[in-house]
Amino acid sequence: MKKKNKYGLTALKSVQNYRDSYSIIEIWSRSAKEVFYTKSSQEKGCPKGTFLGLCEEGLVKGIPRGKYTRSEKNKNYALKAVSILKNNPNRVYSPKELWDKLELGNKRSNSTIDVVIKLLFFSYLEIC
């Protein structure tokens, strides 16, 4: 499995392992440690900020709305991607196609879109 796809897997594990007794931030960290072997991959900010931003807005099924992230950029990228998906429900996007639709120029996704697409694919993302 490619490294970037593992951040989508980390998001899935985080949703599946969510319990009220743990913070969603702690659950993300634990899930990342299950998926990645290197500290730098476990602590990568962009996919984490994306996931926490979606949770913050109440868009991840089973996780209550709350204050989870300081990463406004990644949260906003994710929300814009969700808006594109919502407005084009019959369109299937590759991660690159969806990222390009955000029209951010040469900016790299850094696994932001992988998190969004994986949550959507496994029906954990509220886009209705």
Side-chain angles (χ1 to χ4, degrees):
M1 182 180 288
K2 292 180 182 176
K3 188 175 183 178
K4 67 180 181 176
N5 293 332
K6 288 186 175 183
Y7 290 105
L9 178 59
T10 302
L12 288 178
K13 283 183 168 287
S14 297
V15 174
Q16 294 164 348
N17 293 327
Y18 177 73
R19 304 288 181 275
D20 288 342
S21 55
Y22 295 100
S23 77
I24 192 61
I25 298 165
E26 182 179 344
I27 291 170
W28 173 273
S29 295
R30 288 179 179 201
S31 297
K33 287 176 183 172
E34 289 178 27
V35 175
F36 295 100
Y37 300 109
T38 65
K39 191 168 180 77
S40 62
S41 294
Q42 293 168 2
E43 295 178 353
K44 186 171 179 169
C46 294
K48 178 181 178 181
T50 299
F51 176 73
L52 295 176
L54 291 168
C55 291
E56 191 167 277
E57 292 298 314
L59 295 175
V60 179
K61 292 179 184 175
I63 298 177
R65 181 183 288 262
K67 182 66 178 149
Y68 302 122
T69 186
R70 288 182 267 153
S71 180
E72 290 299 317
K73 283 184 183 180
N74 289 299
K75 175 182 170 180
N76 289 331
Y77 299 155
L79 293 177
K80 189 171 180 181
V82 166
S83 177
I84 290 167
L85 293 167
K86 185 176 181 179
N87 291 325
N88 300 284
N90 297 320
R91 174 85 160 79
V92 176
Y93 293 95
S94 72
K96 183 181 178 350
E97 289 171 329
L98 186 54
W99 182 254
D100 288 347
K101 290 288 280 182
L102 298 182
E103 299 176 345
L104 299 171
N106 292 331
K107 197 162 201 45
R108 293 182 54 203
S109 168
N110 286 320
S111 302
T112 297
I113 295 303
D114 296 305
V115 169
V116 174
I117 288 178
K118 188 69 81 171
L119 290 173
L120 177 66
F121 183 79
F122 283 90
S123 302
Y124 285 118
L125 191 62
E126 300 274 3
I127 63 168
C128 300

